[in-house]
Amino acid sequence: MTNLLPNELEQAQTAVFVLIGKCILNLQLYEQALKNLLPYFEVSNDGPTPEQQREKLAKLTLGSLIRQLIKRAADFDEDAEEPKRSVTNSIVIRTRFRIPVDAKEAKQLYQNLDELLHKRNFLVHHFRSEHSLKTDSGCRAAKTYLDGLYEQTKTAIAQIDGIGRELKSSTASLIKFLGSDEAAHLIEEFCFEGESVISQEK
């Protein structure tokens, strides 16, 4: 155990407090980024609007938000039961976006985010009881832990930013396609075939 002068110990404690604040701020930024991003993984003319989805997501915990990210973006099951929608007589257009990862990569993504969640909970609920800041060794151990967590939060935020950019790019590509002659041809072909089937059934 290294004995520090009072002012040196205070400086070491201050460095730990600064890191705690930076970690908590990044975790809050990450949580808010998830709430902003999640509504845009499905585009539809039927069902809740992005604003309505954000209102619902605002009530979820970070753990629930992470599970929603995996469910919507990386683990979409095409055979899963469709959510209940409003009854309408119009054609429903729905497009889903997902992260292009396989099952192994999706599992690793979830494990990484689940680890981040556990560290966040430890920081908020147990950090003070596990790390004494009364000694130099205690401050150094706390700083080592927080340095790792801070880098992990930066990586998570960068990952969400990257997903957001890909989602924006995919949305722009979809809008461009829907305005093309190819899309118009496909829609006309679909409507024509549908009419033919109805005529045959009669």
Side-chain angles (χ1 to χ4, degrees):
M1 181 185 299
T2 303
N3 294 320
L4 297 178
L5 296 174
N7 64 322
E8 292 177 328
L9 179 59
E10 185 177 349
Q11 290 175 2
Q13 292 170 337
T14 299
V16 172
F17 297 149
V18 169
L19 270 174
I20 291 174
K22 292 170 70 174
C23 288
I24 290 176
L25 177 59
N26 271 5
L27 287 164
Q28 290 178 348
L29 290 173
Y30 180 74
E31 185 172 335
Q32 189 58 52
L34 283 176
K35 291 176 180 178
N36 290 335
L37 184 67
L38 285 172
Y40 295 100
F41 277 103
E42 179 174 310
V43 179
S44 174
N45 66 336
D46 179 49
T49 64
E51 291 74 18
Q52 291 171 330
Q53 291 189 61
R54 276 195 293 270
E55 289 181 5
K56 185 176 181 179
L57 291 169
K59 303 175 183 178
L60 299 184
T61 63
L62 179 58
S64 296
L65 291 169
I66 288 174
R67 285 189 290 273
Q68 284 290 322
L69 174 65
I70 300 300
K71 178 181 178 181
R72 299 189 189 195
D75 194 26
F76 172 61
D77 181 3
E78 294 185 358
D79 297 323
E81 184 179 350
E82 286 287 334
K84 293 183 178 180
R85 307 278 179 170
S86 58
V87 178
T88 176
N89 293 323
S90 62
I91 294 176
V92 175
I93 300 174
R94 187 176 307 134
T95 298
R96 287 191 177 100
F97 298 96
R98 65 189 299 268
I99 304 171
V101 295
D102 57 27
K104 182 178 180 181
E105 291 171 324
K107 183 178 180 180
Q108 185 61 53
L109 174 62
Y110 180 78
Q111 288 177 344
N112 292 343
L113 296 180
D114 190 55
E115 179 185 353
L116 179 64
L117 173 64
H118 283 291
K119 288 185 176 181
R120 176 264 180 197
N121 290 339
F122 175 81
L123 176 64
V124 173
H125 300 293
H126 307 291
F127 180 83
R128 184 63 185 88
S129 61
E130 296 294 327
H131 290 282
S132 172
L133 303 182
K134 296 180 179 180
T135 64
D136 174 54
S137 59
C139 288
R140 282 191 284 108
K143 187 176 183 301
T144 298
Y145 176 84
L146 292 168
D147 280 334
L149 176 56
Y150 180 59
E151 290 302 318
Q152 194 169 357
T153 61
K154 286 168 59 179
T155 298
I157 292 173
Q159 187 177 53
I160 287 298
D161 287 343
I163 293 173
R165 287 192 297 271
E166 289 294 329
L167 186 58
K168 184 177 180 179
S169 176
S170 298
T171 302
S173 297
L174 175 62
I175 292 172
K176 183 178 180 180
F177 171 73
L178 291 176
S180 68
D181 293 338
E182 182 182 359
H185 174 72
L186 288 173
I187 294 172
E188 290 174 358
E189 188 178 57
F190 168 78
C191 292
F192 176 77
E193 290 179 353
E195 182 177 351
S196 298
V197 171
I198 294 173
S199 299
Q200 292 172 9
E201 289 179 349
K202 289 181 178 179

